Amino acid sequence: MTSNQVLTHSALRAGALLGLSHAALAQALGLDQSTASAMEHGLAELQGDTPSGQLALTLIKIYQSLTANVGGDEQACKQWVCSHNTGLVGTPALLMQSEGGLNAVLAYLQSMDAPQGR
């Protein structure tokens, strides 16, 4: 696999494991839904040196950090992403629809021993 294929596969997997819909993943990566769909079918790839590629790297880091904080429990990951969080003053799934929100969620997770889901 090329590095772009690995990035694309990892971003798609992280989005799915976080419970993001296809539309939410496309929005988080700054892509239109047709491009996200093409990625799913192996017809398009993310490029690591593009804005979408950088957003994908942030999403992957969010997944890695959250997974570490919940002991690898996929259901807990999805629940945390969909629950209002008082520390973030919002729902992570909604916040991750922008670059600033992605960065805020990542910073929050990296600062916590374990997410509280509040």
Side-chain angles (χ1 to χ4, degrees), residues 44-100:
E45 296 176 353
L46 292 166
Q47 308 291 315
D49 60 351
T50 64
S52 293
Q54 293 302 303
L55 293 172
L57 289 171
T58 302
L59 181 70
I60 293 163
K61 289 176 186 176
I62 287 170
Y63 170 73
Q64 292 170 333
S65 184
L66 180 57
T67 300
N69 282 324
V70 298
D73 184 337
E74 288 181 25
Q75 192 61 31
C77 284
K78 290 178 182 177
Q79 182 177 355
W80 187 85
V81 167
C82 294
S83 300
H84 181 78
N85 183 289
T86 55
L88 289 168
V89 191
T91 304
L94 297 175
L95 293 171
M96 289 191 289
Q97 299 306 294
S98 71
E99 182 176 358

Side-chain angles (χ1 to χ4, degrees), residues 1 21 23 33 40 47-48 57 61 63 86 93 100 102 106 112:
M1 283 183 118
S21 69
Q33 287 188 21
E40 187 78 36
Q47 308 291 315
L57 289 171
K61 289 176 186 176
Y63 170 73
T86 55
L102 277 168
L106 179 59
M112 303 299 295

Side-chain angles (χ1 to χ4, degrees), residues 22 26-27 30-37:
H22 225 193
Q27 177 76 27
L31 302 170
D32 58 54
Q33 287 188 21
S34 63
T35 301
S37 181

